Amino acid sequence: MKRTACRPVVWTVLVLILLVLAPRPAFAYDAPDYDAVSAQLEADVRSYQIPGMAVIVVGRDEVLFAEAYGNCESIDTPFLIGSLSKSFTALAVLQLAEQGRIDLDAPISAYLDASSYLRNASDGDRITVRQLLHHTSGLGTYQSLGSAQSTDSYGTYTYANVNYGLLGKIIEAVSGESYADYVERSVFSPLGMDHSSASLEDSRADGLISGYRTVFGIPVAGEPDYPDDRSWSTVPAGYISSSASDMGKYLQMYLNHGGGVISWDSLDTMFTDTVPQGEGSPYFYGMGWVFSEEGTEPVFSHSGLVENYASNMVLFPERGIGVAVLVNRNDYLVGNNLMNTVLLHLLGEELTQGADNRYLLSHAVLNLCFLLVLFLAALPLLFLGKRRKKKHTKKQIAIDVAVHAVFPVILLLLPRFVGVPLWVVWYFVRDLFFVLVISAFLLLSAGLYKVLAAFRQKWRGDG
């Protein structure tokens, strides 16, 4: 599902840490109480039923805090980092631009055979590299390589993984290396990121932590839906793996003006060359980063979410602090957005007794809603035998058409009504997918039975 400015549960962790680190008047300054931070994070892991989590807070020259929780054994354990991958891809593009091998304002057809990736090859002559970086190419949110085409949104921000899939292809074409080899040689290795990779094989070899989807409130372990070149998302857009320790090194590179990996001028472009994420939005998209101002200082961040992992990173450049949080679970409907559970604590108040149960209560309510929908969909099947005594009036036929034809279609198209294809629901909200599809099947099945029964009754009557 579409990802813009970060709103997942990991923001809870970030806000907690940043409150501890927040500057105070000199006469009232207290050293950060990382024991208290860690205790709260342990409580968050239990409250949200997070299988594993790794957190790191870095300054420009030191690690301020780093810890692993749950089934994450070490801060060196790799996670899939989702759309945090986009900043690595943007970094690689700017490296090549520094070398004069990529012109950010050149059309992408200067580097690629656009007909291999876009439905209309002419789009390759008007879409620029910079537009891919900014998500202003006009390519659609749920398009993929090979069938993508520019839409009426050309020139305005529309978040689309396919933009960064194309950037990955440009990196390969210009460098003559695979994307995985390029980022290993030009980013991971120079920064000493020994537990990061852009291939599934290397990620697994390094001990990639198992990921979990939440299905009806239960975390279920499963293999990642690792993409190929024609998938909706691709490795350059969302499937790099990294550890908390490596992400700390990566954030320190930004805090230290490039750390020899890229020039400060290029980083300045990365952060300040931005576009608004919507009319009146306080968020601006740069090149793999989201910019906003919290109070009087700039904040750069990006969230990541794939089918069974969630992540976030935040930079406070003026304060010289970077934070990364990696979680091996996706709980889209509840856990990724349920910040209010610990909101009082973040405001300096103690949680009331039983607050930790709000997560379970939210899923219980959601599951009851799911069961109600399934029950209502199955209800017509329970009364099929009683229909033999009813006449097929026009009114009854209209009701049957609505219940057994119109409603199933509405259920299956419900995600589309809010702008999300049903197949995306399968990947990210599997329990909802099951409810929609099974309910539609039950209603259609009952309708088919009624049609067959009516024909049989008519045939016997005619006989």
Side-chain angles (χ1 to χ4, degrees):
M1 299 196 172
K2 186 174 179 181
R3 296 180 290 271
T4 54
C6 173
R7 291 293 184 273
V9 63
V10 290
W11 265 108
T12 298
V13 180
L14 299 177
V15 174
L16 173 66
I17 294 172
L18 294 172
L19 282 176
V20 173
L21 294 173
R24 306 172 187 175
F27 61 88
Y29 178 77
D30 296 321
D33 184 355
Y34 289 112
D35 290 337
V37 171
S38 187
Q40 181 59 39
L41 298 189
E42 289 178 355
D44 289 341
V45 168
R46 292 191 301 271
S47 298
Y48 291 109
Q49 295 190 351
I50 295 173
M53 179 172 72
V55 181
I56 191 163
V57 183
V58 295
R60 290 187 174 89
D61 302 309
E62 60 183 332
V63 175
L64 302 174
F65 175 76
E67 192 59 75
Y69 302 90
N71 67 2
C72 180
E73 297 180 356
S74 165
I75 61 169
D76 292 330
T77 300
F79 293 67
L80 291 181
I81 62 173
S83 287
L84 274 58
S85 306
K86 290 181 173 66
S87 67
F88 288 88
T89 301
L91 181 67
V93 168
L94 290 174
Q95 285 178 329
L96 293 168
E98 277 188 2
Q99 300 166 21
R101 302 166 74 180
I102 289 180
D103 180 352
L104 298 185
D105 295 309
I108 63 174
S109 57
Y111 307 104
L112 297 173
D113 177 6
S115 64
S116 298
Y117 305 105
L118 303 176
R119 182 170 295 173
N120 300 320
S122 60
D123 286 341
D125 295 326
R126 71 169 185 160
I127 296 174
T128 67
V129 176
R130 192 185 301 273
Q131 287 176 323
L132 294 180
L133 290 164
H134 284 162
H135 294 294
T136 57
S137 66
L139 301 180
T141 299
Y142 299 109
Q143 294 179 0
S144 57
L145 295 180
S147 59
Q149 59 182 339
S150 191
T151 66
D152 292 340
S153 67
Y154 177 81
T156 60
Y157 173 85
T158 300
Y159 192 94
N161 287 322
V162 67
N163 289 316
Y164 278 73
L166 283 168
L167 289 170
K169 291 300 178 184
I170 291 173
I171 291 168
E172 291 182 337
V174 171
S175 69
E177 302 175 75
S178 70
Y179 176 83
D181 287 344
Y182 180 87
V183 294
E184 171 63 37
R185 177 180 62 82
S186 301
V187 181
F188 299 153
S189 183
L191 293 177
M193 298 176 66
D194 299 328
H195 303 287
S196 300
S197 177
S199 77
L200 181 58
E201 294 75 16
D202 290 344
S203 299
R204 283 174 170 164
D206 195 34
L208 178 67
I209 193 170
S210 296
Y212 293 75
R213 288 181 176 88
T214 299
V215 182
F216 300 109
I218 302 171
V220 178
E223 288 294 310
D225 295 301
Y226 210 78
D228 57 29
D229 284 347
R230 301 294 168 168
S231 300
W232 165 52
S233 187
T234 54
V235 175
Y239 282 84
I240 282 177
S241 68
S242 189
S243 65
S245 58
D246 279 6
M247 289 302 300
K249 297 173 184 178
Y250 182 62
L251 295 176
Q252 284 179 319
M253 179 270 293
Y254 287 100
L255 295 175
N256 288 298
H257 296 177
V261 171
I262 193 169
S263 72
W264 171 241
D265 286 342
S266 291
L267 286 189
D268 188 56
T269 298
M270 194 177 197
F271 287 134
T272 62
D273 184 1
T274 62
V275 296
Q277 289 192 317
E279 187 175 352
S281 173
Y283 299 100
F284 296 80
Y285 202 92
M287 300 179 178
W289 289 87
V290 176
F291 166 77
S292 64
E293 281 196 346
E294 301 290 339
T296 59
E297 66 177 316
V299 179
F300 299 97
S301 66
H302 211 293
S303 61
L305 181 67
V306 292
E307 298 81 7
N308 41 12
Y309 298 84
S311 58
N312 207 314
M313 61 181 180
V314 180
L315 281 173
F316 285 74
E318 291 186 0
R319 200 179 303 184
I321 293 172
V323 183
V325 181
L326 309 176
V327 175
N328 66 336
R329 192 210 60 185
N330 167 27
D331 188 358
Y332 199 90
L333 288 180
V334 176
N336 291 357
N337 298 298
L338 192 61
M339 287 171 41
N340 289 337
T341 303
V342 291
L343 182 60
L344 292 177
H345 182 88
L346 301 181
L347 296 175
E349 299 180 30
E350 297 211 1
L351 288 170
T352 58
Q353 188 173 5
D356 288 353
N357 295 324
R358 293 179 190 172
Y359 172 83
L360 296 176
L361 179 61
S362 298
H363 263 299
V365 172
L366 191 61
N367 287 342
L368 284 175
C369 292
F370 286 159
L371 285 173
L372 179 60
V373 172
L374 289 169
F375 173 75
L376 292 176
L379 199 58
L381 290 170
L382 303 178
F383 294 95
L384 288 178
K386 297 183 179 181
R387 282 189 53 84
R388 296 176 183 176
K389 300 178 181 180
K390 292 185 178 181
K391 294 182 179 180
H392 299 290
T393 64
K394 291 183 178 180
K395 180 179 179 181
Q396 185 61 48
I397 291 173
I399 292 174
D400 284 344
V401 169
V403 171
H404 301 294
V406 177
F407 285 0
V409 172
I410 290 176
L411 285 173
L412 295 177
L413 293 180
L414 192 59
R416 179 66 71 176
F417 293 154
V418 295
V420 180
L422 185 61
W423 59 264
V424 175
V425 178
W426 164 256
Y427 284 117
F428 286 89
V429 201
R430 192 153 291 182
D431 43 12
L432 177 59
F433 178 89
F434 288 143
V435 170
L436 293 176
V437 172
I438 292 174
S439 298
F441 175 78
L442 291 173
L443 290 171
L444 287 169
S445 298
L448 180 61
Y449 179 91
K450 290 179 180 181
V451 170
L452 294 175
F455 275 112
R456 184 175 61 180
Q457 184 178 352
K458 183 178 181 181
W459 179 79
R460 287 179 176 178
D462 291 343

